Coordinates of all heavy atoms in Angstrom, one line a residue:
M1 N 5.6 -23.2 -12.2 CA 5.1 -22.0 -11.6 C 5.1 -20.9 -12.7 O 6.0 -20.8 -13.5 CB 6.2 -21.5 -10.5 CG 6.0 -22.3 -9.2 SD 7.1 -21.8 -7.8 CE 6.9 -20.1 -7.6
N2 N 4.1 -20.1 -12.6 CA 4.0 -19.0 -13.6 C 4.5 -17.7 -12.9 O 5.0 -17.7 -11.8 CB 2.5 -18.8 -14.1 CG 1.7 -18.6 -13.0 OD1 2.0 -18.1 -11.9 ND2 0.3 -18.7 -13.3
L3 N 4.4 -16.6 -13.7 CA 5.0 -15.4 -13.3 C 4.4 -14.9 -12.0 O 4.9 -14.3 -11.1 CB 4.9 -14.4 -14.4 CG 5.5 -13.0 -14.1 CD1 7.0 -13.1 -13.9 CD2 5.2 -12.1 -15.3
M4 N 3.0 -15.0 -11.9 CA 2.2 -14.6 -10.7 C 2.6 -15.3 -9.5 O 2.7 -14.7 -8.3 CB 0.7 -14.6 -10.9 CG 0.1 -13.7 -11.9 SD 0.6 -12.0 -11.5 CE -0.4 -11.7 -10.0
D5 N 3.0 -16.6 -9.5 CA 3.4 -17.3 -8.4 C 4.8 -16.7 -7.9 O 5.0 -16.6 -6.7 CB 3.7 -18.8 -8.8 CG 2.2 -19.5 -8.9 OD1 1.3 -19.0 -8.4 OD2 2.2 -20.5 -9.7
Y6 N 5.6 -16.4 -8.8 CA 6.9 -15.8 -8.4 C 6.7 -14.4 -7.8 O 7.3 -14.0 -6.8 CB 7.8 -15.6 -9.6 CG 8.5 -16.9 -10.1 CD1 8.2 -17.4 -11.4 CD2 9.3 -17.7 -9.2 CE1 8.7 -18.6 -11.8 CE2 9.8 -18.9 -9.7 CZ 9.5 -19.2 -11.0 OH 10.0 -20.4 -11.4
A7 N 5.7 -13.7 -8.3 CA 5.5 -12.3 -7.8 C 4.9 -12.5 -6.4 O 5.3 -11.7 -5.4 CB 4.4 -11.6 -8.7
Y8 N 4.0 -13.4 -6.1 CA 3.5 -13.6 -4.8 C 4.6 -14.0 -3.8 O 4.6 -13.6 -2.7 CB 2.3 -14.7 -4.8 CG 1.1 -14.2 -5.3 CD1 0.4 -14.9 -6.3 CD2 0.4 -13.0 -5.0 CE1 -0.8 -14.4 -6.9 CE2 -0.7 -12.5 -5.5 CZ -1.4 -13.2 -6.5 OH -2.5 -12.8 -7.0
T9 N 5.5 -14.9 -4.3 CA 6.6 -15.4 -3.4 C 7.5 -14.2 -3.0 O 7.8 -14.1 -1.9 CB 7.4 -16.5 -4.1 OG1 6.4 -17.6 -4.4 CG2 8.4 -17.0 -3.3
V10 N 7.8 -13.4 -4.0 CA 8.7 -12.3 -3.7 C 8.0 -11.3 -2.8 O 8.5 -10.7 -1.8 CB 9.2 -11.6 -5.0 CG1 9.7 -10.2 -4.8 CG2 10.0 -12.5 -5.8
T11 N 6.6 -11.1 -3.0 CA 6.0 -10.2 -2.1 C 5.9 -10.7 -0.7 O 6.1 -9.9 0.2 CB 4.5 -10.0 -2.6 OG1 4.6 -9.5 -4.0 CG2 3.7 -9.0 -1.8
F12 N 5.7 -11.9 -0.5 CA 5.7 -12.5 0.8 C 7.0 -12.4 1.5 O 7.1 -12.1 2.7 CB 5.2 -14.0 0.8 CG 3.7 -14.1 0.6 CD1 3.2 -15.0 -0.3 CD2 2.8 -13.3 1.3 CE1 1.8 -15.1 -0.5 CE2 1.4 -13.4 1.1 CZ 0.9 -14.4 0.2
V13 N 8.1 -12.7 0.8 CA 9.4 -12.6 1.4 C 9.8 -11.1 1.8 O 10.2 -10.8 2.8 CB 10.5 -13.1 0.3 CG1 11.8 -12.8 0.7 CG2 10.3 -14.6 0.2
L14 N 9.4 -10.2 0.9 CA 9.7 -8.8 1.1 C 8.8 -8.3 2.3 O 9.3 -7.5 3.2 CB 9.4 -7.8 -0.1 CG 10.4 -8.1 -1.2 CD1 10.0 -7.2 -2.3 CD2 11.8 -7.7 -0.7
L15 N 7.6 -8.7 2.5 CA 6.8 -8.4 3.6 C 7.3 -9.0 4.9 O 7.3 -8.3 5.9 CB 5.2 -8.8 3.3 CG 4.5 -8.0 2.5 CD1 3.1 -8.6 2.2 CD2 4.3 -6.5 3.0
G16 N 7.7 -10.2 4.7 CA 8.4 -10.9 6.0 C 9.6 -10.1 6.5 O 9.8 -10.0 7.6
A17 N 10.5 -9.7 5.5 CA 11.7 -9.0 5.8 C 11.4 -7.6 6.4 O 12.0 -7.2 7.5 CB 12.6 -8.8 4.6
A18 N 10.3 -7.0 5.9 CA 9.9 -5.7 6.4 C 9.4 -5.9 7.9 O 9.6 -5.1 8.8 CB 8.8 -5.1 5.6
V19 N 8.6 -7.0 8.2 CA 8.2 -7.3 9.5 C 9.3 -7.5 10.4 O 9.4 -7.0 11.6 CB 7.1 -8.5 9.6 CG1 6.9 -8.9 11.0 CG2 5.9 -8.0 8.9
L20 N 10.3 -8.2 10.0 CA 11.5 -8.5 10.9 C 12.3 -7.2 11.2 O 12.7 -7.0 12.4 CB 12.4 -9.5 10.2 CG 11.9 -10.9 10.1 CD1 12.9 -11.9 9.4 CD2 11.7 -11.5 11.5
L21 N 12.4 -6.4 10.2 CA 13.1 -5.1 10.4 C 12.3 -4.2 11.4 O 12.8 -3.5 12.3 CB 13.3 -4.3 9.1 CG 14.4 -4.9 8.2 CD1 14.3 -4.3 6.9 CD2 15.7 -4.9 8.8
A22 N 10.9 -4.1 11.3 CA 10.2 -3.4 12.2 C 10.2 -4.0 13.6 O 10.2 -3.2 14.5 CB 8.8 -3.4 11.7
L23 N 10.2 -5.3 13.7 CA 10.3 -5.9 15.0 C 11.7 -5.6 15.6 O 11.8 -5.4 16.9 CB 10.2 -7.4 14.9 CG 8.8 -8.0 14.8 CD1 8.8 -9.5 14.5 CD2 7.9 -7.7 16.0
Y24 N 12.7 -5.6 14.9 CA 14.0 -5.2 15.4 C 14.0 -3.8 16.0 O 14.5 -3.4 17.0 CB 15.1 -5.2 14.3 CG 16.5 -4.7 14.7 CD1 17.2 -5.4 15.6 CD2 16.9 -3.5 14.3 CE1 18.5 -5.0 16.0 CE2 18.1 -2.9 14.8 CZ 18.9 -3.7 15.5 OH 20.1 -3.3 16.0
R25 N 13.4 -2.9 15.2 CA 13.3 -1.5 15.6 C 12.3 -1.3 16.9 O 12.6 -0.5 17.8 CB 12.7 -0.5 14.5 CG 12.6 0.9 14.8 CD 13.7 1.6 15.6 NE 15.0 1.6 14.9 CZ 16.1 1.8 15.4 NH1 16.2 2.2 16.7 NH2 17.2 1.7 14.8
L26 N 11.4 -2.2 16.9 CA 10.4 -2.3 18.1 C 11.2 -2.5 19.3 O 11.0 -1.9 20.4 CB 9.2 -3.2 17.8 CG 8.2 -3.3 18.9 CD1 7.4 -2.1 19.0 CD2 7.4 -4.6 18.6
L27 N 12.1 -3.5 19.2 CA 12.8 -3.9 20.3 C 13.9 -2.9 20.8 O 14.2 -2.9 21.9 CB 13.4 -5.4 20.2 CG 12.3 -6.5 20.0 CD1 13.0 -7.8 19.7 CD2 11.5 -6.6 21.2
R28 N 14.5 -2.4 19.8 CA 15.7 -1.5 20.0 C 15.3 0.0 20.0 O 16.1 0.8 20.2 CB 16.7 -1.7 19.0 CG 17.3 -3.0 18.8 CD 18.4 -3.3 19.8 NE 19.3 -2.3 19.5 CZ 20.5 -2.1 20.2 NH1 20.7 -2.9 21.2 NH2 21.4 -1.2 19.9
G29 N 14.0 0.4 19.8 CA 13.7 1.8 19.7 C 14.1 2.6 20.9 O 13.8 2.1 22.0
P30 N 14.6 3.7 20.6 CA 15.1 4.5 21.8 C 13.9 5.2 22.5 O 14.1 5.5 23.7 CB 16.1 5.5 21.1 CG 15.6 5.6 19.7 CD 15.1 4.3 19.3
S31 N 12.8 5.4 21.9 CA 11.8 6.1 22.6 C 10.4 5.3 22.4 O 10.2 4.4 21.5 CB 11.5 7.5 22.0 OG 11.1 7.5 20.8
V32 N 9.4 5.7 23.2 CA 8.1 5.1 23.2 C 7.5 5.4 21.8 O 6.8 4.5 21.2 CB 7.2 5.6 24.3 CG1 5.8 5.1 24.2 CG2 7.8 5.2 25.6
M33 N 7.7 6.6 21.3 CA 7.1 7.0 20.0 C 7.6 6.1 18.9 O 7.0 5.7 18.0 CB 7.3 8.5 19.6 CG 6.4 9.3 20.6 SD 4.7 9.0 20.5 CE 4.3 9.4 18.8
D34 N 8.9 5.8 18.9 CA 9.5 4.9 17.9 C 8.8 3.5 17.9 O 8.5 3.0 17.0 CB 11.0 4.7 18.2 CG 11.8 5.9 17.7 OD1 11.3 6.7 16.9 OD2 12.8 6.1 18.3
R35 N 8.6 3.1 19.1 CA 7.9 1.8 19.3 C 6.5 1.8 18.8 O 6.0 0.9 18.3 CB 8.0 1.3 20.7 CG 9.4 1.0 21.1 CD 9.4 0.4 22.6 NE 10.8 -0.1 22.7 CZ 11.7 0.5 23.4 NH1 11.5 1.6 24.1 NH2 12.9 -0.1 23.7
L36 N 5.8 2.9 19.0 CA 4.4 3.1 18.6 C 4.4 3.1 17.0 O 3.4 2.5 16.5 CB 3.8 4.2 19.2 CG 3.4 4.2 20.7 CD1 2.9 5.5 21.2 CD2 2.5 3.1 21.0
V37 N 5.3 3.8 16.5 CA 5.3 3.8 15.0 C 5.6 2.5 14.4 O 5.1 2.0 13.4 CB 6.4 4.8 14.5 CG1 6.7 4.7 13.0 CG2 5.9 6.2 14.8
C38 N 6.6 1.8 15.1 CA 6.8 0.4 14.6 C 5.6 -0.6 14.7 O 5.3 -1.4 13.9 CB 7.9 -0.2 15.4 SG 9.5 0.4 15.0
L39 N 4.8 -0.4 15.8 CA 3.6 -1.2 15.9 C 2.5 -0.9 14.8 O 1.9 -1.8 14.3 CB 3.0 -1.1 17.3 CG 3.6 -1.8 18.5 CD1 2.9 -1.3 19.8 CD2 3.4 -3.2 18.3
N40 N 2.5 0.4 14.5 CA 1.6 0.8 13.4 C 2.1 0.2 12.2 O 1.3 -0.2 11.2 CB 1.5 2.3 13.3 CG 0.5 2.8 12.4 OD1 -0.5 2.1 12.1 ND2 0.7 4.0 11.9
T41 N 3.4 0.2 11.9 CA 4.0 -0.3 10.7 C 3.8 -1.8 10.6 O 3.4 -2.3 9.5 CB 5.6 -0.1 10.6 OG1 5.8 1.3 10.7 CG2 6.2 -0.6 9.4
I42 N 3.9 -2.5 11.6 CA 3.6 -3.9 11.6 C 2.1 -4.3 11.4 O 1.8 -5.1 10.7 CB 4.0 -4.6 13.0 CG1 5.6 -4.6 13.1 CG2 3.5 -6.0 13.1 CD1 6.1 -4.9 14.4
S43 N 1.3 -3.4 11.9 CA -0.2 -3.6 11.6 C -0.5 -3.3 10.1 O -1.3 -4.1 9.5 CB -1.1 -2.7 12.5 OG -1.0 -1.4 12.1
V44 N 0.1 -2.4 9.5 CA 0.0 -2.1 8.1 C 0.5 -3.3 7.3 O -0.1 -3.7 6.3 CB 0.6 -0.8 7.7 CG1 0.7 -0.6 6.1 CG2 -0.2 0.4 8.2
L45 N 1.6 -3.8 7.7 CA 2.3 -4.9 7.0 C 1.4 -6.2 7.1 O 1.3 -7.0 6.2 CB 3.7 -5.2 7.5 CG 4.7 -4.2 7.1 CD1 6.0 -4.4 7.8 CD2 4.9 -4.2 5.7
L46 N 0.8 -6.4 8.3 CA -0.1 -7.5 8.5 C -1.3 -7.4 7.6 O -1.8 -8.4 6.9 CB -0.6 -7.5 10.0 CG -1.6 -8.7 10.3 CD1 -0.9 -10.1 10.1 CD2 -2.0 -8.5 11.7
V47 N -1.8 -6.3 7.5 CA -3.0 -6.0 6.5 C -2.6 -6.3 5.1 O -3.3 -6.9 4.3 CB -3.5 -4.5 6.7 CG1 -4.5 -4.2 5.6 CG2 -4.2 -4.4 8.0
S48 N -1.4 -5.8 4.7 CA -0.8 -6.1 3.3 C -0.7 -7.5 3.1 O -1.0 -8.0 2.1 CB 0.4 -5.3 3.2 OG 0.3 -4.0 3.4
F49 N -0.2 -8.2 4.1 CA 0.0 -9.7 4.0 C -1.3 -10.4 3.8 O -1.4 -11.3 2.9 CB 0.7 -10.3 5.3 CG 1.0 -11.7 5.1 CD1 2.2 -12.1 4.5 CD2 0.1 -12.7 5.8 CE1 2.5 -13.5 4.5 CE2 0.4 -14.0 5.7 CZ 1.6 -14.5 5.0
I50 N -2.3 -10.1 4.5 CA -3.6 -10.7 4.4 C -4.2 -10.3 3.0 O -4.9 -11.2 2.4 CB -4.5 -10.3 5.5 CG1 -4.0 -10.9 6.8 CG2 -6.0 -10.9 5.3 CD1 -4.8 -10.3 8.1
A51 N -4.1 -9.1 2.6 CA -4.6 -8.7 1.3 C -4.0 -9.4 0.1 O -4.6 -9.8 -0.8 CB -4.4 -7.2 1.1
V52 N -2.6 -9.6 0.3 CA -2.0 -10.4 -0.8 C -2.4 -11.8 -0.8 O -2.6 -12.5 -1.8 CB -0.4 -10.3 -0.7 CG1 0.2 -11.2 -1.6 CG2 0.0 -8.9 -0.9
E53 N -2.6 -12.4 0.4 CA -3.2 -13.7 0.6 C -4.6 -13.8 -0.1 O -4.9 -14.9 -0.7 CB -3.2 -14.2 2.0 CG -3.6 -15.6 2.3 CD -2.6 -16.6 1.8 OE1 -1.3 -16.3 1.8 OE2 -2.9 -17.7 1.6
V54 N -5.4 -12.8 0.1 CA -6.7 -12.8 -0.5 C -6.6 -12.8 -2.0 O -7.3 -13.5 -2.6 CB -7.6 -11.6 0.1 CG1 -8.7 -11.4 -0.8 CG2 -8.0 -11.9 1.5
A55 N -5.7 -12.0 -2.5 CA -5.5 -12.0 -4.0 C -5.0 -13.3 -4.5 O -5.4 -13.7 -5.5 CB -4.6 -10.9 -4.3
L56 N -4.2 -13.9 -3.7 CA -3.5 -15.2 -4.2 C -4.7 -16.3 -4.2 O -4.7 -17.1 -5.2 CB -2.5 -15.7 -3.2 CG -1.9 -17.0 -3.5 CD1 -1.2 -17.1 -4.8 CD2 -0.9 -17.3 -2.3
R57 N -5.6 -16.4 -3.1 CA -6.5 -17.4 -3.1 C -7.8 -17.0 -4.0 O -8.5 -18.0 -4.3 CB -6.9 -17.7 -1.7 CG -5.8 -18.3 -0.8 CD -6.3 -18.7 0.5 NE -5.2 -19.1 1.4 CZ -4.6 -20.2 1.4 NH1 -5.1 -21.2 0.6 NH2 -3.6 -20.6 2.2
G58 N -8.0 -15.9 -4.2 CA -9.2 -15.4 -4.9 C -10.5 -15.5 -4.1 O -11.6 -15.6 -4.7
D59 N -10.3 -15.7 -2.9 CA -11.5 -15.8 -1.9 C -11.8 -14.6 -1.2 O -11.0 -14.1 -0.4 CB -11.2 -17.0 -0.9 CG -12.4 -17.3 0.0 OD1 -13.5 -16.9 -0.4 OD2 -12.2 -18.0 1.0
P60 N -12.9 -13.9 -1.5 CA -13.2 -12.6 -0.9 C -13.7 -12.7 0.5 O -14.1 -11.7 1.1 CB -14.3 -12.0 -1.8 CG -14.9 -13.2 -2.4 CD -13.9 -14.3 -2.5
A61 N -13.8 -13.9 1.1 CA -14.3 -14.1 2.5 C -13.3 -13.3 3.5 O -13.9 -13.0 4.5 CB -14.4 -15.6 2.8
Y62 N -12.1 -13.1 3.2 CA -11.2 -12.5 4.2 C -11.2 -11.0 4.1 O -10.4 -10.4 4.8 CB -9.8 -13.1 4.0 CG -9.7 -14.6 4.4 CD1 -9.6 -15.6 3.4 CD2 -9.9 -15.0 5.8 CE1 -9.5 -16.8 3.8 CE2 -9.7 -16.3 6.1 CZ -9.6 -17.3 5.1 OH -9.5 -18.5 5.4
I63 N -11.9 -10.4 3.2 CA -11.9 -9.0 3.0 C -12.3 -8.3 4.4 O -11.8 -7.3 4.8 CB -12.9 -8.5 1.9 CG1 -12.3 -9.0 0.6 CG2 -13.0 -7.0 1.8 CD1 -11.0 -8.4 0.2
G64 N -13.4 -8.9 5.0 CA -13.8 -8.4 6.4 C -12.6 -8.4 7.3 O -12.5 -7.5 8.2
V65 N -11.8 -9.5 7.4 CA -10.7 -9.5 8.3 C -9.7 -8.5 7.9 O -9.2 -7.7 8.8 CB -9.9 -10.9 8.2 CG1 -8.7 -11.0 8.9 CG2 -10.9 -12.0 8.6
V66 N -9.4 -8.1 6.7 CA -8.6 -7.0 6.3 C -9.1 -5.7 6.7 O -8.4 -4.9 7.3 CB -8.3 -7.1 4.7 CG1 -7.6 -5.9 4.3 CG2 -7.6 -8.3 4.3
I67 N -10.3 -5.4 6.5 CA -10.9 -4.2 6.9 C -10.9 -4.0 8.5 O -10.6 -3.0 9.0 CB -12.4 -4.1 6.5 CG1 -12.3 -3.9 4.9 CG2 -13.1 -2.9 7.0 CD1 -13.7 -4.0 4.3
T68 N -11.2 -5.2 9.2 CA -11.1 -5.1 10.7 C -9.8 -4.8 11.2 O -9.5 -3.9 12.0 CB -11.6 -6.5 11.3 OG1 -12.9 -6.7 10.7 CG2 -11.5 -6.4 12.8
F69 N -8.7 -5.5 10.6 CA -7.3 -5.2 11.0 C -6.9 -3.7 10.7 O -6.2 -3.1 11.5 CB -6.4 -6.2 10.5 CG -6.2 -7.4 11.2 CD1 -6.5 -8.6 10.7 CD2 -5.7 -7.4 12.5 CE1 -6.4 -9.9 11.4 CE2 -5.5 -8.6 13.2 CZ -5.9 -9.8 12.6
A70 N -7.4 -3.4 9.6 CA -7.0 -1.9 9.2 C -7.6 -0.9 10.1 O -7.0 0.1 10.5 CB -7.4 -1.7 7.7
L71 N -8.9 -1.1 10.4 CA -9.6 -0.2 11.3 C -9.0 -0.3 12.8 O -8.9 0.8 13.5 CB -11.1 -0.5 11.4 CG -11.8 -0.1 10.1 CD1 -13.3 -0.6 10.3 CD2 -11.8 1.5 10.1
L72 N -8.6 -1.4 13.3 CA -8.0 -1.6 14.5 C -6.6 -0.9 14.6 O -6.3 -0.2 15.6 CB -7.9 -3.1 14.9 CG -9.1 -3.7 15.4 CD1 -8.9 -5.2 15.6 CD2 -9.7 -3.1 16.6
G73 N -5.9 -1.0 13.5 CA -4.6 -0.3 13.4 C -4.8 1.2 13.4 O -4.0 1.9 14.1
F74 N -5.7 1.6 12.7 CA -6.0 3.1 12.6 C -6.4 3.7 14.0 O -6.0 4.6 14.4 CB -7.1 3.4 11.6 CG -7.5 4.8 11.5 CD1 -6.6 5.7 10.9 CD2 -8.7 5.2 12.0 CE1 -7.0 7.1 10.8 CE2 -9.1 6.6 11.9 CZ -8.2 7.5 11.4
V75 N -7.4 2.9 14.6 CA -7.8 3.4 16.0 C -6.6 3.3 17.0 O -6.5 4.2 17.9 CB -9.0 2.6 16.5 CG1 -9.3 2.8 17.9 CG2 -10.2 2.8 15.6
G76 N -5.9 2.3 16.9 CA -4.7 2.2 17.8 C -3.7 3.4 17.6 O -3.1 3.8 18.5
S77 N -3.5 3.8 16.3 CA -2.7 4.8 16.1 C -3.2 6.2 16.6 O -2.5 7.1 17.1 CB -2.4 5.0 14.6 OG -1.8 3.9 14.0
L78 N -4.5 6.3 16.4 CA -5.1 7.6 17.0 C -5.0 7.6 18.5 O -4.7 8.6 19.0 CB -6.6 7.6 16.6 CG -6.9 8.0 15.1 CD1 -8.4 8.1 14.8 CD2 -6.3 9.4 14.8
T79 N -5.2 6.5 19.1 CA -5.1 6.4 20.6 C -3.7 6.7 21.0 O -3.5 7.5 22.0 CB -5.6 5.1 21.1 OG1 -6.9 4.8 20.6 CG2 -5.6 4.9 22.6
A80 N -2.7 6.2 20.3 CA -1.3 6.4 20.8 C -0.9 7.9 20.6 O -0.3 8.5 21.3 CB -0.5 5.5 19.9
A81 N -1.4 8.5 19.5 CA -1.1 9.9 19.2 C -1.7 10.8 20.2 O -1.1 11.7 20.7 CB -1.6 10.2 17.8
R82 N -2.9 10.4 20.5 CA -3.7 11.3 21.6 C -2.9 11.1 23.0 O -2.8 12.1 23.8 CB -5.0 10.8 21.8 CG -5.9 11.6 22.7 CD -7.3 11.4 22.6 NE -8.0 12.3 23.3 CZ -9.1 12.9 23.1 NH1 -9.7 12.6 21.9 NH2 -9.7 13.7 23.9
F83 N -2.5 9.9 23.3 CA -1.7 9.6 24.5 C -0.4 10.5 24.5 O 0.0 11.1 25.5 CB -1.4 8.2 24.7 CG -0.5 7.8 25.9 CD1 -0.8 8.0 27.1 CD2 0.9 7.5 25.5 CE1 0.0 7.7 28.2 CE2 1.7 7.2 26.6 CZ 1.3 7.3 27.9
A84 N 0.4 10.4 23.4 CA 1.6 11.2 23.3 C 1.4 12.7 23.3 O 2.2 13.4 24.0 CB 2.2 10.9 21.9
E85 N 0.2 13.2 22.8 CA -0.1 14.6 22.8 C -0.4 15.0 24.2 O 0.2 16.0 24.7 CB -1.3 14.9 21.9 CG -1.7 16.3 22.1 CD -3.0 16.7 21.3 OE1 -3.7 15.7 21.0 OE2 -3.3 17.8 21.1
R86 N -1.1 14.2 25.0 CA -1.4 14.5 26.4 C -0.1 14.5 27.2 O 0.1 15.4 28.1 CB -2.4 13.5 27.0 CG -3.8 13.9 26.5 CD -4.8 13.0 27.3 NE -6.1 13.3 26.8 CZ -7.2 12.6 27.2 NH1 -7.1 11.6 28.0 NH2 -8.4 12.9 26.7
R87 N 0.7 13.4 27.0 CA 1.9 13.4 27.8 C 2.8 14.6 27.5 O 3.4 15.1 28.4 CB 2.6 12.1 27.3 CG 3.8 11.7 28.2 CD 4.3 10.3 27.9 NE 5.4 10.0 28.6 CZ 6.2 9.0 28.5 NH1 6.0 8.2 27.5 NH2 7.2 8.7 29.3
A88 N 3.0 15.0 26.2 CA 3.8 16.2 25.9 C 3.1 17.4 26.6 O 3.9 18.3 27.0 CB 3.9 16.3 24.4
H89 N 1.8 17.5 26.5 CA 1.3 18.7 27.1 C 1.4 18.8 28.6 O 1.6 19.8 29.3 CB -0.2 18.7 26.8 CG -1.1 19.8 27.3 ND1 -0.7 21.2 27.1 CD2 -2.2 19.8 28.2 CE1 -1.5 21.9 27.8 NE2 -2.4 21.2 28.4
D90 N 1.4 17.6 29.3 CA 1.6 17.5 30.8 C 2.9 17.8 31.2 O 3.2 18.4 32.3 CB 1.2 16.1 31.3 CG -0.3 15.9 31.2 OD1 -1.1 16.8 31.0 OD2 -0.6 14.7 31.3
R91 N 4.0 17.5 30.3 CA 5.3 17.9 30.5 C 5.6 19.4 30.4 O 6.5 19.8 30.9 CB 6.2 17.1 29.7 CG 6.3 15.7 30.1 CD 7.4 15.0 29.3 NE 7.4 13.5 29.7 CZ 8.2 12.6 29.1 NH1 8.9 13.0 28.1 NH2 8.1 11.4 29.5
G92 N 4.8 20.0 29.7 CA 4.9 21.5 29.5 C 5.8 21.8 28.3 O 6.3 22.6 28.0

């Protein structure tokens, strides 16, 4: 194994640990907004994981998948923020 293989392995382990911590917060989050932030964090980590996998394989075919997941995560965050804004406005 060369140095880049170690770097990829460490990156995958750290991304996996971050996903596990985010899942823990998702399950234990005291509020809905905490859970929404965790879902957004998990989507960003998923995009990062796929991007590192693309770099590892050197196959640009998955770039479209990365862009699609990133856009879905962004739209989901906007939708959640708009929902939270309306909910706060309705509560007064």
Side-chain angles (χ1 to χ4, degrees):
M1 283 180 58
N2 61 14
L3 185 61
M4 287 304 291
D5 291 335
Y6 288 118
Y8 286 130
T9 303
V10 168
T11 302
F12 285 135
V13 168
L14 291 176
L15 285 172
V19 168
L20 290 177
L21 290 172
L23 282 174
Y24 174 76
R25 178 48 59 191
L26 180 70
L27 296 174
R28 300 275 304 176
S31 70
V32 174
M33 287 307 293
D34 288 336
R35 290 184 171 105
L36 290 174
V37 169
C38 286
L39 282 175
N40 189 24
T41 302
I42 291 171
S43 72
V44 168
L45 291 171
L46 178 65
V47 168
S48 301
F49 182 83
I50 296 170
V52 171
E53 185 70 26
V54 167
L56 175 65
R57 295 189 187 275
D59 185 16
Y62 294 106
I63 296 295
V65 174
V66 171
I67 292 171
T68 302
F69 274 119
L71 287 174
L72 285 174
F74 177 70
V75 169
S77 296
L78 286 179
T79 305
R82 187 169 183 139
F83 172 74
E85 179 187 12
R86 283 188 182 172
R87 188 171 181 193
H89 180 53
D90 290 342
R91 287 186 180 178

